Amino acid sequence: METQIMSCESDDLNLKATELRLGLPGTDPALEKQSSNKRALSEIDSCSDAKNGEQDRRAPPAKGQVVGWPPVRSYRKNCLQQKKSEADGSGMYVKVSMDGAPYLRKIDLKVYQSYLDLLKALQNMFKCTIGVYTEREGYNGSDYAPTYEDKEGDWMLVGDVPWEMFVTSCKRLRIMKGSEAKGLGCL
Amino acid sequence: MREDRPPPPPSRGGAYSPPPPDQVLENVLEHVLQFLTFRRDRNAAALVCRSWHRAEALTRSELFIGNCYAVAPRRAMERFRRATAVTIKGKPRFADFNLMPPDWGANFTPWVTSMAQCYRALEKLCLKRMFVTDEDLELLASFPSFRELVLICCDGFGTSGLAVVASKCRKLRVLDLIEDEVTDDEIDWISCFPEGETCLESLIFDCVECPIYFEALERLVARSPSLKKLKLNRYVSIVQLYRLMIRAPQLTHLGTGSFSPSEIVAQGDQEPDYSSAFDACRSLVCLSGFREIVPDYLPAIYPVCANLTSLNFYGEACFLCLQVLDTVRDAGLQAVGATCKDLRELRVFPIDAREDSEAPVSDVGLLAISEGCRKLQSILYFCQRMTNAAVIAMSENCPELVVFRLCIMGRHLPDHVTREPMDEGFGAIVKNCKKLTRLATSGLLTDRAFSYIGQYGKLVRTLSVAFAGDSDTGLKYVLEGCPRLQKLEIRDSPFGDSALRSGLYRYYNMRFLWMSSCRLTRRGCKEIAQQMPHLVVEMINGEEEEVKEDYVDTLYMYRSLDGPRADAPSFVTIL
């Protein structure tokens, strides 16, 4: 009955039913993301076919935001957006602290696709081992346990809620010593 | 080719024997070569013969590495033993736009480790698109003569690294952080500069997204009498800017920070006289910033407009720059055209950087700039709408253009008046701007545009292409026609293996070729790799693990003296 953290990705069936997302019915963000690069190429195909006949070119779809276009460095793009997101805590850039480390780091949650991604990055960043999450036991047995503060100010264990919900509600992260995180394991 | 010179004849009984003629020549050569500063001249001198090669290597003080993977650190440092200034460039430019997964490489650590042994006397370092850690910075700070650090588009370090540099580099004159990603380690690095007068000449930190302790900055500026360049981040309010400017009227380059107040200023409150502060900066020639502009404050910069040679704006700021002309935003650019007659460089960024946004600048603004700023050398211009006529006008009015980068944000957009492709506009640029070395294209372009580039762009060294062209012929025109081409970056254009093959004889003379989301196959890339042993041919996969079609996601290839790199991550395949 143990559910590994990886079940968040592979055991989609269970989570999708209860997952809260913003989006038009029938759209799957995962699918859209994968095809974004390839779509640009196929647009070229259809565009050059139409070119010879038509006067008015079919404009590219407004919602077809392509990776890296327009070519503006993300730091310039983000400066306004970041200020807004910091203000309403929508959880894109969050601070990460680790018990015992003298410094903080800041990460952009949008960069990660899943808990596995995020934990790998945190382990690299702080040179620590975090271990495996189980629904019942939390991170029991690990040296460190990642926790986060959500929009309501509660401290939760990273992995308790579906990934999408986590990304939008996480305000800051704290990597606690495993022993201290015991209390958070049971919700 | 000369052989190594024979050993000098043995001297008899302590009598002075004059050095052999060869050695005299070599001494003279070394003295003369010190006057050669341009890289290209030095490279040419080094090819004359062995002794010139040797003398040139010993007298080269500035080492430029255009691609950190083109040569191993050791090899470079063993040839040029006396370099005191080093520039290294890492990732290709399209990595800036998320077209490459992070952790691709360009690590500075192997370089600084070699420098710690070979270049202890290092004075200046400039890194672009490299991954630099705090530990690397700490090692750098231990070099006793180190005095200039310029980091452009780098990442991997934080304010803790900056704190070490500030506190340990006693002779620091230049600390320029330009478009870097700096982690906030919650350390007040500005306070880490040592007490007493500093030799600071340039302090640029507008990209550092961390709050700073203003009083420490103010004290630092007050005790830096040589400070000429100061670019502040958005955590500095306009009131604080004022306080800094009155302490440093000798500034030549200013980045204004947020250019807005940190709190709401009530009506009637006594506000500082910003105009006079700007007026007092008589030497100001370069202005940027305005990160969170409040329109009321912009008239303050009018006194300096006449002297400005370089200007960085956000699109919206242009409109507000001239309040008299109410609503049309190109009007701001018209004002710039009317007042900044000596403008050499202009960059207009979009405040809303999305394809379908409403951009406040267009062909009208470009035309106005071209009519007013005849000495323009470099332009980067983002817009939603453009016409061939405006671009042609710029090509005719601004013959000094060296850099022309136009980004029409909607992909495949034609001339919005004639509905024609933008071929003629870009064609006019390459034809009329005879000094053009850098070109970035956009909008709807057919192969014809590339035929123009190949025909007229004889000095072009850097070419950026996106969503353009019809067929392989387009790319062939460029590869066959542009003899000086060094850096070619292409995305989302229908160029395939045949075009790639046509440039085979060019690639050893280029720094790199980048092609992403084009029509290259793995087989086509492999052919190149097999025929060109000194080319490193990297296939970089995007997010997907398996290759869905035979097309390669990204090809990045470059010449290298030391073969494929050892630090390639899993998503890179080196053919």
Side-chain angles (χ1 to χ4, degrees), chain B residues 68-72 75 533-538 558-566 574:
Chain B
C68 64
Y69 288 122
V71 65
R75 182 195 274 234
H534 294 294
L535 266 191
V536 176
V537 180
E538 292 194 13
Y558 50 89
R559 62 187 172 193
S560 174
L561 291 174
D562 288 299
R565 57 192 176 113
I574 299 185

Side-chain angles (χ1 to χ4, degrees), chain A residues 33-48 51 54-84 86 93 95-96 102-108 111-113 117 121 124-125 127 172, chain B residues 96-99 102 129 134 153-154 156-158 160 179-181 183-186 206-207 209 234-235 291-292 312 314 347 349-351 353-356 382 407-414 419 441-442 444 446 466-467 469-470 491-494 517-519 543-544 548-549 551 553:
Chain A
K33 191 173 193 302
Q34 268 179 14
S35 61
S36 63
N37 267 343
K38 301 296 179 193
R39 189 194 314 156
L41 198 59
S42 61
E43 265 178 359
I44 292 166
D45 283 338
S46 51
C47 275
S48 52
K51 190 182 62 141
E54 293 173 10
Q55 276 288 46
D56 284 334
R57 178 158 299 276
R58 177 176 60 85
K63 266 307 185 176
Q65 299 288 331
V66 167
V67 174
W69 190 261
V72 179
R73 257 180 81 74
S74 48
Y75 112 90
R76 280 194 198 272
K77 261 190 212 177
N78 283 341
C79 64
L80 285 178
Q81 291 162 12
Q82 187 182 332
K83 202 162 194 286
K84 289 180 196 151
E86 273 173 0
Y93 277 89
K95 288 190 184 162
V96 189
Y103 50 84
L104 295 189
R105 309 232 80 143
K106 219 176 202 176
I107 59 174
D108 177 5
V111 163
Y112 307 102
Q113 319 302 327
D117 249 359
N124 269 342
M125 213 180 273
K127 313 275 184 270
R172 63 185 292 156
Chain B
D96 287 355
F97 314 125
N98 299 325
L99 287 183
R129 293 197 188 92
D134 291 328
C153 301
C154 295
F157 63 99
S160 46
E179 305 207 19
D180 306 303
E181 295 210 13
T183 19
D184 184 358
D185 301 324
E186 302 209 339
D206 52 345
C207 63
E209 293 286 305
R234 66 182 175 90
Y235 289 90
R291 298 284 294 274
E292 289 155 29
N312 273 6
Y314 285 97
R347 294 183 176 202
F349 290 99
I351 206 154
R354 287 175 301 137
E355 260 191 85
D356 44 3
F382 284 84
C407 181
I408 304 167
M409 294 197 283
R411 290 170 284 148
H412 313 296
L413 279 185
R419 311 304 290 167
T441 65
S442 60
L444 179 65
T446 70
F467 304 101
D470 302 319
R491 65 166 294 183
D492 294 279
S493 300
S517 302
C518 295
R519 294 205 183 148
E543 303 294 314
E544 300 133 59
K548 293 221 157 87
E549 303 155 43
Y551 288 150
D553 270 344

